Amino acid sequence: MKQRNQEIEMKKRVLVSGGTGYIGSHTAVELQNNGFDVVIADNLSNSKIEVLDGIEGITGIRPLFDKVDLSRKNECDEFFKRYDDIEAIIHFAASKAVGESVENPLLYYRNNINSLINILEAMKEHNIPNLVFSSSCTVYGQPNKLPVTESTPRKEAESPYGNTKSICEDIIRDVVKAHPELKGIALRYFNPIGAHPSSKIGELPLGVPNNLIPFLTQTVAGIRSELSVFGNDYNTPDGSCIRDYINVVDLANAHVVAIERLLQDRNKNNYEYFNVGTGSGVSVLEIIESFERSTGEKVPHKIVGRRAGDIEQIYADTSFSNQELGWKAEKSLDETLLSAWNWQKTL
Ligand code: UFG
């Protein structure tokens, strides 16, 4: 009993905003696997409550859940009054469709920026020092030099969505400078793909997917007739675009490491940012090849014109995050694509 009490005492409570979403749900699992007590706040605008069953099915623990829109000041304040024992926050909750953000920028600025400001104000008010922010390699635009390191200059964003990531990074930097009791880490994700190996959680796009992997798996499942490969005339070895595809469980584990770094005061500055990728650039055609090899399924596809706004190639230099965080992406591309297919088959 004594030991159990100690265990309960030691459990640190982490708020995962957007925790029923794709990356948030995988992170909730890894946090629980590492002994954290997870509270999820999500407005369910782009996710389903059943995701909690998946998290519970994997870890044996159902995380606390609160349906709340953190971009609304009064809802956010009420939430932090209800949960007054949060020690760290991972802020995922945000709108993320690039095309939609071009059509409706105000929606993106309102949602993505207000929620961060409300959270930072709550951190000050409730003495919650630690924040991990969900950023993106989109802040680098099309870099002049590859791979991109953390000191690669950020470029003007290609979309309002991308701009919200840059603006949010700047807000965190400025706020922790003015309030040194607060600390923040921004994780710049490259392209997260795949699903939990249990196939109990994964990506759940609503409507026609914009991203490559859900479109590809839906095509193989017969939901879509053909995958369009957007361009084969880029200046890359096979002419298709290159990205750094990272397994979502590896990505989730980077968040656990970042949270531990903050809670144990191992951060070197009050604001830090890290690339979270594999370090390997992979083309769209190589993805198709790897998928076919690992699953034994054919991917019906055709080459079409370039997609507006696409970056030709980007991949991470991960040496700084590997060294400083002591974290490294471990899963192979084949195994990751197989996990995406196994998940698709459950839908
Ligand atoms: N692609 C296709 N066919 C499709 C969908 C995508 O060929 O049906 C190609 C794209 O042209 C691109 C690659 O697959 O070359 C990856 O495209 P995604 O849409 O999956 O991902 P992006 O790299 O365009 O965007 C991702 C995130 C964004 C983030 C951006 C940062 O989805 O949130 O990385 O660079 F802003």
Side-chain angles (χ1 to χ4, degrees):
M1 187 62 191
K2 191 165 174 230
Q3 196 189 346
R4 186 161 157 66
N5 281 342
Q6 272 171 353
E7 259 174 40
I8 291 168
E9 263 168 32
M10 275 164 54
K11 273 196 167 186
K12 305 250 181 216
R13 177 163 281 186
V14 179
L15 164 61
V16 181
S17 82
T20 47
Y22 175 42
I23 307 170
S25 57
H26 289 81
T27 301
V29 164
E30 297 310 315
L31 285 167
Q32 293 192 159
N33 283 344
N34 282 278
F36 289 98
D37 174 29
V38 172
V39 181
I40 290 178
D42 201 302
N43 67 0
L44 298 176
S45 63
N46 196 23
S47 61
K48 297 212 167 104
I49 190 77
E50 290 76 21
V51 170
L52 298 178
D53 300 334
I55 297 172
E56 185 178 5
I58 297 167
T59 62
I61 303 165
R62 194 170 187 84
L64 289 169
F65 174 80
D66 209 286
K67 184 169 184 296
V68 55
D69 186 340
L70 295 171
S71 71
R72 298 192 179 159
K73 179 77 178 146
N74 58 338
E75 282 191 40
C76 184
D77 287 348
E78 289 304 316
F79 171 84
F80 280 97
K81 277 186 210 150
R82 280 196 296 282
Y83 295 93
D84 59 358
D85 50 359
I86 289 167
E87 296 189 41
I89 299 171
I90 308 182
H91 181 40
F92 291 105
S95 305
K96 61 166 190 176
V98 175
E100 186 187 43
S101 80
V102 175
E103 280 157 30
N104 197 347
L106 281 172
L107 179 79
Y108 276 66
Y109 289 117
R110 175 184 289 280
N111 190 31
N112 295 5
I113 291 171
N114 284 359
S115 58
L116 176 70
I117 291 173
N118 291 341
I119 284 174
L120 285 164
E121 283 175 347
M123 288 171 67
K124 268 178 60 197
E125 196 178 327
H126 299 271
N127 301 316
I128 305 168
N130 306 306
L131 175 69
V132 174
F133 177 66
S134 170
S135 190
S136 164
C137 68
T138 192
V139 300
Y140 297 116
Q142 174 64 70
N144 298 338
K145 206 170 145 237
L146 289 167
V148 287
T149 69
E150 284 77 356
S151 43
T152 297
R154 292 185 317 179
K155 282 198 172 165
E156 195 173 321
E158 299 274 328
S159 67
Y161 157 77
N163 202 22
T164 67
K165 294 297 174 191
S166 284
I167 293 170
C168 286
E169 284 194 355
D170 291 347
I171 292 173
I172 297 169
R173 181 202 59 206
D174 293 348
V175 170
V176 301
K177 193 169 172 199
H179 304 283
E181 71 279 15
L182 304 182
K183 301 180 287 181
I185 292 181
L187 297 180
R188 294 176 175 166
Y189 318 152
F190 285 69
N191 286 53
I193 61 166
H196 193 269
S198 65
S199 303
K200 289 185 196 294
I201 54 171
E203 194 167 6
L204 268 178
L206 300 180
V208 182
N210 294 310
N211 294 115
L212 176 62
I213 302 305
F215 201 103
L216 184 157
T217 57
Q218 288 193 7
T219 303
V220 177
I223 301 166
R224 318 266 158 222
S225 59
E226 210 169 24
L227 170 72
S228 295
V229 174
F230 296 136
N232 69 346
D233 57 351
Y234 285 99
N235 186 22
T236 59
D238 65 21
S240 64
C241 289
I242 288 178
R243 298 285 184 275
D244 183 336
Y245 294 94
I246 175 165
N247 184 291
V248 68
V249 177
D250 280 336
L251 173 58
N253 277 310
H255 293 80
V256 177
V257 169
I259 282 289
E260 283 169 346
R261 182 178 176 91
L262 291 175
L263 286 168
Q264 294 163 9
D265 273 326
R266 285 189 285 109
N267 53 301
K268 301 223 167 111
N269 292 297
N270 268 21
Y271 173 57
E272 297 180 311
Y273 46 97
F274 297 97
N275 285 343
V276 188
T278 66
S280 298
V282 174
S283 75
V284 178
L285 293 172
E286 284 171 334
I287 285 281
I288 295 174
E289 236 177 76
S290 170
F291 184 91
E292 292 185 340
R293 184 173 54 238
S294 58
T295 64
E297 303 283 341
K298 277 267 156 250
V299 181
H301 64 278
K302 63 170 179 218
I303 311 285
V304 300
R306 295 180 176 196
R307 180 171 71 175
D310 257 342
I311 296 234
E312 179 177 282
Q313 45 182 324
I314 186 162
Y315 50 96
D317 180 325
T318 57
S319 41
F320 183 64
S321 49
N322 294 163
Q323 210 177 319
E324 268 302 311
L325 294 176
W327 165 92
K328 203 171 183 338
E330 283 168 0
K331 296 189 188 282
S332 72
L333 182 61
D334 279 17
E335 137 186 48
T336 301
L337 290 170
L338 183 60
S339 74
W341 177 233
N342 288 337
W343 163 247
Q344 177 67 54
K345 287 192 287 185
T346 69
L347 299 176

